[in-house]
């Protein structure tokens, strides 16, 4: 087990290192950061001045090493637009995205696991069909459109919930539903297939033969096994949600990391963009690592094989 | 006895697996519903100039926000009304599918080529090649798609070409995952070993033996990624960094109508319904192909 964890830790560290190179070089390879920062009507001298001030004229590997060195020392750079440290700006926006991500995942799990179990218990019945259609419809619905639909129904027609901002917990309900719904089909399908497999296995048959209650058989002996891959998928989905929250945060004006990224892209706020890219990518890498370790802890076949 | 056996066996042998799969696909209800919707959208996009007399980019500022025909103030001159710049909404709806479909198919070609090449290589050679490709795949999965696409498009300038390249270069992961495991499953089968034994070149084995035998899963992924690419384009356009005017897609139409949500929701509902119908149709066709080619993988 220890060997497995160390091995996965090393791979994750390597992934984050390479991702940081991509995150850093993305803005350099795809355009001229100095020109982007100076704006469209800037004089050539001004662009040159910015280039020198921010060190864009130095070789890219040198800039990267300086950037990584500062990052590791806890200095995330400065936002040239907000005139603030990037660390402060991120710390201000991070809690909103974290709250949104966790609530969205809770919504997705709360909807998809019961549906998946119900579908597996009654395959090819109306329950199964309805669950399948929820999944199919979910895959066809763009998240921003779903978000606008929620705003229209609950914000405009019914006036039940606030649709913009992040002042109260009510503000998080619609964005969490909009973001979480997107993860529902995958989790539901996996729960259903895992549950069907578990229910057909020998130990579930044995448990039934022993006369245990149906509920006990389903939850203790079926779901416990079916849930292993779901945990892994849930962690991965949470990572996807953090990356995809940019659309939802923009629609609902939630001032989280995604919203900040969208604004920073329009302001050509290079250092903020790079930091957000790295933070989201690293979070995703760590979440997959945790999912793998949790999987291995729950299922001995993985850590031995 | 012998004649009965040959009489029942003969028609089965006469059909190649491809023909059998095609026959089953044609008997699948979902394929016809999805394929039908897809065909309508494709034909409408291609024949757009014949279907509407209006120019979708012509602005008539005197006729802004005309309601659709089901509203008391609507008229048949503009069946779906006009948008905030007085452009005929039906014409925009019909033309709007063009760029989305173009981006979808072009990016699937790019991402499909990259992903399939990497997946087959990883599955066929295994070992270090597999490790390396898996690592590249992990890096790609670690990068947030929407964010990376936004950054590149914002900095590199958003032409249609750049948009297609960026989406294509980002969405190859599922192609690689699926073709890798499909290749692994057949890489040690007898006909591959036989091809190696008679000295077939590696290129021949990869293209003539492996590729034709993974077309089923490949078509399924292609359908998923086609839908994914169109959704990503719509999301980027919605955020204002996708397709730029005078070009337009349903995603951009929704973005432009965003502020009308409170008073003229149909401006969002109309292109929204078209987008959902397109994605739904692509998914139905993909599901039908999956049911036929890999019934055991149904979930």
């Amino acid at each position: 087990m220890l060997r497995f964890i160390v091995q996965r830790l090393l791979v994750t560290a390597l992934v984050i290192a390479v991702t940081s190179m991509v995150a850093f070089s993305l803005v350099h390879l795809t355009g001229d950061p100095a020109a982007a920062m100076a704006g469209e009507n800037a004089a050539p001298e001004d662009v040159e001045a910015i280039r020198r001030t921010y060190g864009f004229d130095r070789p890219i590997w040198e800039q990267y090493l300086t950037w990584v060195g500062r990052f590791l020392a806890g200095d995330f750079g400065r936002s040239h637009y907000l005139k603030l440290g990037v660390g402060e700006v991120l710390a201000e926006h991070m809690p909103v995205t974290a709250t949104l991500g966790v609530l969205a995942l809770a919504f997705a799990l709360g909807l998809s696991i019961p549906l998946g179990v119900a579908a597996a218990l009654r395959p090819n019945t109306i329950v199964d069909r309805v669950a399948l259609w929820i999944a199919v419809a979910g895959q066809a619905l763009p998240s921003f459109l779903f978000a606008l639909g929620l705003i229209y129904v609950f914000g405009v027609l019914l006036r039940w919930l606030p649709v913009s901002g992040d002042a109260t917990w009510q503000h998080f309900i619609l964005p969490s539903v909009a973001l979480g719904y997107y993860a529902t089909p995958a989790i539901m399908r996996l729960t259903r297939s895992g549950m069907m497999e578990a229910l057909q296995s020998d130990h579930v048959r044995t448990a039934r033969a022993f006369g245990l209650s149906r509920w006990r058989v389903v939850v203790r002996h079926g779901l416990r096994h079916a849930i292993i891959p779901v945990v892994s998928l849930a962690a991965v989905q949470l990572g996807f949600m953090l990356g995809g929250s940019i659309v939802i945060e923009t629609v609902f004006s939630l001032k989280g990391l995604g919203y900040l990224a969208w604004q920073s892209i329009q302001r050509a706020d290079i250092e903020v963009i790079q930091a957000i890219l790295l933070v989201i990518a690293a979070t995703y890498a760590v979440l997959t690592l945790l999912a793998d370790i949790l999987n291995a802890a729950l299922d001995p076949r993985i850590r031995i094989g | 006895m012998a004649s009965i056996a040959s009489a029942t066996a003969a028609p089965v042998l006469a059909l190649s697996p491809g023909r059998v799969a095609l026959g089953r696909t044609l008997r699948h209800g979902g394929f016809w519903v999805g394929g039908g919707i897809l065909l309508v959208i494709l034909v409408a996009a291609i024949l757009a100039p014949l279907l509407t007399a209006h120019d979708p980019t012509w602005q008539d500022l005197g006729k802004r926000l005309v309601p659709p025909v089901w509203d008391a103030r609507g008229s048949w001159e503009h069946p779906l009304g006009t948008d905030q710049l007085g452009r005929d909404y039906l014409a925009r709806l019909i033309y709007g599918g063009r760029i989305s479909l173009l981006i979808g198919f072009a990016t699937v070609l790019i991402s499909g080529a990259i992903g399939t090449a990497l997946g087959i290589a990883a599955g066929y050679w295994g070992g270090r090649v597999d490790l390396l490709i898996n690592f590249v795949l992990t890096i790609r999965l670690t990068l947030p798609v929407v964010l990376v696409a936004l950054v590149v498009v914002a900095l590199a300038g958003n032409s249609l070409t750049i948009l297609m390249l960026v989406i294509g270069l980002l969405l190859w992961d599922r192609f690689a995952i699926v073709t890798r495991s499909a290749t692994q499953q057949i890489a040690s089968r007898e006909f591959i070993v036989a091809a190696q034994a008679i000295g077939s070149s590696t290129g021949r084995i990869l293209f003539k033996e492996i590729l034709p035998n993974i077309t089923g899963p490949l078509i399924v992924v292609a359908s998923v990624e086609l839908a994914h690419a169109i959704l990503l384009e719509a999301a980027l356009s919605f955020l204002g960094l996708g397709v730029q005017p005078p070009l337009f897609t349903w995603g951009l139409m929704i973005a432009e109508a965003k502020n009308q949500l409170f008073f003229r929701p149909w401006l969002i509902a109309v292109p929204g319904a078209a987008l959902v119908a397109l994605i739904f149709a692509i998914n139905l066709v993909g599901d039908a192909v999956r049911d036929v080619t890999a019934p055991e993988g149904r979930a």
Side-chain angles (χ1 to χ4, degrees), chain A residues 11 14-15 18-19 22-23 26-27 30-33 36 132-133 136 139-142 144-145 148 151-152 155-156 163 182 189 192-193 240 243-244 246-247 250-251 261-262 265-266 268 270 273 276-277 280-282 284-285, chain B residues 135 138-148 150-152 154-157 173 227-228 231 234-236 238-241 251 254-255 258 261-263 265 268-269 271-273 275-277 279-280 283-284 287 290 298-299:
Chain A
V11 173
L14 197 59
V15 166
V18 175
T19 315
V22 178
L26 205 56
V27 297
T30 51
D32 181 353
L132 187 70
W133 275 96
V136 171
Q139 281 170 337
L141 207 56
F144 61 89
L145 193 60
L148 290 177
I151 291 180
Y152 187 67
V156 181
V163 296
Y182 213 58
R189 279 175 188 239
R192 179 183 182 273
S193 63
F240 276 138
I246 185 165
V247 178
T250 314
V251 175
W262 186 64
I265 286 169
Q266 288 174 330
I270 307 284
I273 297 173
I276 294 176
L277 268 174
I280 290 183
Y284 178 84
Chain B
F135 186 72
T138 312
I139 299 291
R140 162 47 212 95
L141 288 173
T142 309
L143 293 167
V145 173
V146 179
L147 197 50
V148 170
L150 282 176
V151 171
V152 174
L155 287 166
D173 49 292
H228 194 174
L231 284 177
L236 294 179
F238 179 75
L239 290 173
L241 285 162
I254 296 171
K258 207 165 33 178
L261 180 65
F262 287 78
F263 303 110
I268 290 172
L275 191 57
V276 171
I279 304 299
F280 181 66
N283 286 346
L284 272 184
D287 282 355
R290 193 196 51 223
R298 230 177 317 189

Side-chain angles (χ1 to χ4, degrees), chain B residues 178-202:
Chain B
V178 170
T179 52
R180 174 176 171 271
S181 69
T183 307
Q184 276 176 340
Q185 278 171 22
I186 60 169
S188 54
R189 292 261 292 273
E190 293 85 349
F191 67 99
I192 304 285
V193 178
Q196 288 162 339
I198 61 168
S200 302
S201 69
T202 309

Side-chain angles (χ1 to χ4, degrees), chain B residues 35-188:
Chain B
I37 301 173
L38 201 55
L39 195 68
V40 169
I41 294 175
L42 271 174
V43 168
I46 294 166
L47 300 181
L50 301 176
L51 295 174
T52 172
H54 292 281
D55 178 343
T57 54
W58 172 255
Q59 301 178 2
D60 186 349
L61 295 178
K63 280 193 181 173
R64 288 160 52 205
L65 297 166
V66 171
V69 69
W70 57 81
D71 191 282
R73 291 158 296 157
S75 78
W76 279 106
E77 198 201 341
H78 299 289
L80 291 178
T82 60
D83 69 2
Q84 49 280 15
L85 292 173
R87 295 170 295 200
D88 182 66
Y89 222 48
L90 179 64
R92 284 180 80 70
L93 182 73
I94 294 172
Y95 279 91
R98 284 187 160 186
I99 305 291
S100 286
L101 285 166
L102 175 68
I103 291 178
F105 283 108
T107 55
V108 164
L109 284 182
I110 301 171
S111 57
I114 300 171
T116 310
L118 290 176
I120 291 183
Y124 184 71
W125 280 294
R128 286 194 181 164
V129 179
D130 190 22
L131 271 182
L132 180 70
I133 290 174
N134 243 327
F135 186 72
V136 177
L137 181 67
T138 312
I139 299 291
R140 162 47 212 95
L141 288 173
T142 309
L143 293 167
V145 173
V146 179
L147 197 50
V148 170
L150 282 176
V151 171
V152 174
V153 168
L155 287 166
N158 45 5
S159 67
L160 199 54
T161 322
I162 288 178
L163 201 56
M164 289 192 284
L165 272 177
V166 170
I167 299 178
L169 288 172
L170 279 171
L171 297 187
W172 52 265
D173 49 292
R174 222 168 311 190
F175 277 104
I177 294 170
V178 170
T179 52
R180 174 176 171 271
S181 69
T183 307
Q184 276 176 340
Q185 278 171 22
I186 60 169
S188 54

